[in-house]
Amino acid sequence: MARKGLWAINIVILLCLLASIGGIYALTSKAPSFMLSCSSELFNHEVDAADSDHYLLVDLVSKDGLAQINYRYYDLDGNSAGTLAMTGKVNKIDAKRQMYDISVTTKQEYLGGSSLDTPAHYEYLSYVSGINLNKSGMHSLSLQVLERDEAKDYAVVLFQPSNTVCGCRLVH
């Protein structure tokens, strides 16, 4: 009888240990949260390259493996020229190469005022993401940190497939 009681206690201890390990894994296996607030000056290469047409602001928020990306375009006077709002999930983070792979699954587009020219970058990103979302239900987006200054909470980030380099503030 004492052996059966000891056996039951060992089983309970083993189950508690397995549950604890499972809980620790669930808490630590989630993708890390991060937030970037980025900007870039866009140029129309078909016109005089010295004249900037638009500014691009990109906000990226990732929490628990989900991602929200907002591309906001403005003319030089600060008028909205359009917004692409995307949501998806973080597939992979390569810490060594400082690369982030994101699958975008939804997109909403908002054009600015009718008198404003649509930025070529907006048109390209809208076109490429639209094709990918319509064809496979997913648009791949990757970010690579090219340079980082932790002391100043600043990074230079390359966004693909739009081939855009932005200066980003790291938000904690």
Side-chain angles (χ1 to χ4, degrees), residues 53-139:
D53 289 332
H54 296 93
Y55 285 95
L56 168 64
L57 300 179
V58 183
D59 297 313
L60 187 141
V61 178
S62 174
K63 183 171 172 96
D64 297 333
L66 300 177
Q68 171 73 40
I69 308 101
N70 293 311
Y71 292 87
R72 296 176 292 136
Y73 299 86
Y74 296 92
D75 68 8
L76 295 179
D77 295 325
N79 300 309
S80 176
T83 298
L84 290 170
M86 301 177 173
T87 60
K89 66 177 187 163
V90 178
N91 294 324
K92 181 180 174 188
I93 297 175
D94 182 342
K96 184 175 183 177
R97 294 176 43 208
Q98 297 192 59
M99 293 189 72
Y100 301 80
D101 176 47
I102 299 170
S103 292
V104 172
T105 52
T106 64
K107 172 183 75 162
Q108 293 181 325
E109 298 184 16
Y110 309 96
L111 283 173
S114 59
S115 64
L116 295 175
D117 290 331
T118 305
H121 186 272
Y122 175 101
E123 291 177 355
Y124 173 77
L125 191 55
S126 171
Y127 175 75
V128 169
S129 61
I131 286 176
N132 292 332
L133 286 167
N134 288 333
K135 184 177 179 182
S136 65
M138 189 267 302
H139 170 67

Side-chain angles (χ1 to χ4, degrees), residues 144-149 154-158 165-168:
Q144 181 176 14
V145 177
L146 302 175
E147 191 175 315
R148 178 182 226 135
D149 186 337
Y154 184 79
V156 177
V157 178
L158 171 63
V165 176
C166 292
C168 300

